[in-house]
Amino acid sequence: MFLPVTRTARIATLGDDIANPSEVWIACHGYGQLAARFIRHFEPLLDGTRRIYAPEALSRFYFDPPSKHRNPDSRIGATWMTREDREHEIADYVGYLDALVRAVAVPGARLVAFGFSQGVSTVMRWAALGSARVDRVIAWSGSFPPDLDLAQYRDRFGRVPLDYVSGDADEFFDEAAVQAQCDRLRDAGVAFTFTSFPGRHTIDRETLLRIAVRG
């Protein structure tokens, strides 16, 4: 038995006081992150032309094991999904992101979907399966969902080539793993631009600025 319920989602925001932005960004964090901290990476993009929204995944958890005493300083993270009941979790977050776009859409503004780490799979599924039509996808330090037919949905990944970004010392994605992701995009006929930066599994400020203005 399954029962749809209403959840209260937490959204971190930057630039929501900008009257007429030319871009609206939906930035999806990685596994174990929280939106309020994640959105700080995007502060350099506040030049008066963008509103940035970082939705927080609906499943939060403690990093500490259950046997450890928890206190107000215990670390908490959030995840977009697990393998358990995955079809419903995917449908739930796709609907969640669509609802966010309906709430914050600005007529005439470009919709940019940004995903970091686990957020890459999240935004790719959303771009493919959601009702919102994104204008640009930026996939940063993550992998594309193996169950998603990229060729089938290639026309939904934006009006400009998809940006795929990875650090050259990423501890989770070595050169072979990055190449495999590029090969998947190429084989599926998805137009993309690959950018490597000197760094690990993180969002590099200078690279982010360069890619933001490039699109």
Side-chain angles (χ1 to χ4, degrees), residues 15-177:
D16 50 352
D17 57 339
I18 296 172
N20 296 296
S22 58
E23 291 186 341
V24 172
W25 285 46
I26 306 298
C28 293
H29 62 77
Y31 176 81
Q33 296 181 308
L34 296 177
R37 292 180 62 85
F38 177 68
I39 203 169
R40 297 175 189 173
H41 291 287
F42 301 89
E43 290 174 354
L45 301 185
L46 291 180
D47 60 359
T49 67
R50 301 180 185 91
R51 291 183 190 169
I52 301 166
Y53 299 90
E56 190 167 279
L58 297 176
S59 298
R60 300 188 190 99
F61 60 92
Y62 286 104
F63 279 95
D64 297 333
S67 59
K68 186 174 181 180
H69 176 70
R70 296 192 179 110
N71 56 60
D73 296 324
S74 295
R75 288 180 61 208
I76 297 171
T79 181
W80 290 99
M81 63 172 292
T82 66
R83 67 175 182 269
E84 188 71 19
D85 195 24
R86 61 192 305 279
E87 291 80 9
H88 283 113
E89 291 214 284
I90 292 170
D92 284 348
Y93 72 60
V94 168
Y96 166 25
L97 296 175
D98 277 342
L100 173 58
V101 169
R102 289 193 296 270
V104 304
V106 176
R110 290 204 314 169
L111 178 60
V112 179
F114 180 103
F116 171 72
S117 195
Q118 188 191 42
V120 170
S121 289
T122 302
V123 300
M124 291 295 286
R125 287 194 179 101
W126 172 47
L129 306 174
S131 61
R133 294 304 297 259
V134 302
D135 296 300
R136 185 184 187 192
V137 173
I138 302 173
W140 195 298
S141 298
S143 57
F144 308 117
D147 56 317
L148 187 67
D149 185 343
L150 299 181
Q152 179 181 351
Y153 297 105
R154 63 188 173 205
D155 293 335
R156 292 193 51 106
F157 297 136
R159 302 176 187 175
V160 297
L162 179 150
D163 279 282
Y164 181 46
V165 187
S166 184
D168 61 6
D170 193 309
E171 57 269 40
F172 299 108
F173 295 93
D174 60 16
E175 183 178 353

